[in-house]
Amino acid sequence: MPERPPERIRNVALTGPSGAGKTTLAEALLAAAGAVAVAGSVEKGSTVSDSSAQEKALQHSVSASVLGVEWRKTWINLVDTPGLADFQGAALSILPAVETVAVVVSAGRGIEASARRMMQWAGERGLCRLIVVNQIDAEPAALPALLEEIRATFGAECLPLNLPSQGARAVADCFFTPAGEADFSSVAETHEMLVDQVVELDEELMALYLEQGEELDPAQLHDPFEAALRDGHLVPVCFTSATSGAGVRELLDVFTRLMPNPLEGNPPPFLRDDGQGIREYRARPDPDAHVLAHVVKIEHDPFLGKMAVFRVHQGIVTRDTRLFAGEARKPFRVGTLFRLQGGEHLDAERLGPGEIGALTKVDEVTFDSVLHDSHDEDHIHLRPVALPAPVFGLAIQASRHGDEQKLWEALARMVEEDRGLEVEQDATTQEIVLRGLGELHLRTALERLRERFRLEVETSTPSIAYRESIGAPAEGHCRHKKQTGGAGQFGEVFLRVEPLPRGAGFEFVDTIRGGVIPGSLLPAVEKGVRQAMASGAVAGYPLQDIRVTVHDGKTHPVDSKEIAFVIAGRKAFLDAVRKASPVVLEPVAELVVEGPSSAMGDLTADLAASRGRIQDTSNHGDQVSIQAVVPLAEIADYSNRLNALTGGAGSYSLQFSHYEPAPEPVQRRLMQAYRPTEEE
């Protein structure tokens, strides 16, 4: 049996914007539960979760950190996630490990763009959501309006479980023992609203509630409360101050008494390919079942080697357990097993359903791997997390001759650890491009290269991640015939290309009839198409949002080989694309700018001059927040411009939004500069 049964486990991620106090709140929760003697300080670099030298220097979380705390005989895994948009990949990639996402909002700064995104993402993923209004003692007068803003933004299902009291020095419970006085609103009325919301989903309880004409016991409300959380019918709101301690112990009570355990949360979205198609697979948090675990993070520890952080969904993982990673045919043996406490690794003998832990020295394991102990689970995977696209780029090269291989190995490790990073090499120029989610993201990546890998690199102007697509359907054809004296090559392919909606990716469709191209050769056609998509057709950039339908072809009984159909597929695709109104797409980013209200006119004028489209503006005291979408090519030097416009008092965050056609002059310039290879 597991040391911690699943009904005694809670997995909660603290998410939300930078500056909302997530790490400080995590420290306050650890201190309140007695896990640390004194809460650490972000400013002093003494927190449990921000354990790396980089995080201490930045005074911001860079990666997600797992913290454990015991409260009222219940084990709570707190996952402290980064709030800066540059590190959102690290925040999103670990969330499949939890049942509950707690979005932390600053009382003084209100609802920021990243809080909206996280609420939307968690809702789409089926995770239970909780809003924590932190720093309530800093802006007590703003709290009534903020609660109204929360309900207006996220829905009337957002209801407070407690309310500030005693001038925001404490909180008044509105659910368990609703008897106190609050600074605003009514505890009794709020309690009634909560009960009404919860019993709406349970007809029997609703009838009992109406018949009794009196309060229901909290125990009677537990199951319908969980159902309301799972359905998104209720999003609780809690008030805290991590610095004064107001509401911190009450938040621990909310986690243990009201948030779902692994038996109660929505089941993780596993999918299984059984040969007849892909179907949903329901993991059972049963310690006696086959092991099923999911890797949510990879780290490279200088002493322990490669370490995989994972969540157990069913079965028990022990030392010496033999596990398979995904569809690997050969198992590996679990040697070392840990629980995590920030940067500290605590030895564990066994981990059961609902637990989060780590194992080391596992070269076979990658991010998103499903670990299992039976070949019956070979084809099970978790529905992938939609991570933000890394479009902010730097061309890099090793400063010292001979460090090229070392640079590639270091970059491969960094990309494995950080899902917001991406490395590509231009096939024509051989330029290595490191892409990330923003300027700060890339700067910290370069620091890691220097500090961890002792590598010095030279950088050049950021490359823009242009893409290609098509604007109309078209037909393509290639007859590849080559005779060299011996066995020849022959392959003929007819195909059709059609545009797909932006962001749809790529579809390959086979409508061959009569076996004119044998099924064994169709993968070669697709391989040729994918090669052409990767290298570009009209400007040298990867293609996307295209459906390719192969509908005819010819073979030769002797000369039709795989290589012939790879070449024919590639050239037929290029032929079709060049007839299909090809277009160059440019990446467009969602930009959130914050600065003094006095600079608003200059900021909006600058964005307009950069082809930006303003989506929303809001004021918070003497500060203004502007949301806009802007082509990435126009904001490569935005930090310098922002400093000049605001006197250094502005800040911004950037996140990829979508691709759209570049202006005609830009398309023409890129197409004219392209020099296809002789083969193309």
Side-chain angles (χ1 to χ4, degrees), residues 469 500-506 544-546 585 656-660:
S469 191
L500 291 175
R502 291 284 170 260
F506 169 63
Q544 64 182 40
D545 306 334
I546 296 177
L585 306 174
F656 172 75
S657 176
H658 62 280
Y659 276 94
E660 62 183 39

Side-chain angles (χ1 to χ4, degrees), residues 466 586 606-613 629-631 633-634 660-663 666:
Y466 291 107
E586 66 176 354
D606 179 73
L607 290 173
S610 303
R611 296 193 282 128
R613 301 190 298 274
V629 289
V630 189
E634 300 287 344
E660 62 183 39
V666 174

Side-chain angles (χ1 to χ4, degrees), residues 4-49:
R4 294 171 179 152
E7 59 269 19
R8 289 291 183 182
I9 296 173
R10 305 291 184 273
N11 294 307
V12 181
L14 300 178
T15 68
S18 172
K22 298 181 297 298
T23 299
T24 304
L25 178 59
E27 288 293 316
L29 292 165
L30 292 176
V36 295
V38 179
S41 163
V42 172
E43 292 73 22
K44 294 178 181 177
S46 57
T47 64
V48 177
S49 57

Side-chain angles (χ1 to χ4, degrees), residues 26 52 158 228 230 321 403 410 424 457 471 606:
S52 73
C158 299
R230 287 193 298 271
T321 297
D403 276 354
E424 61 185 44
V457 297
D606 179 73

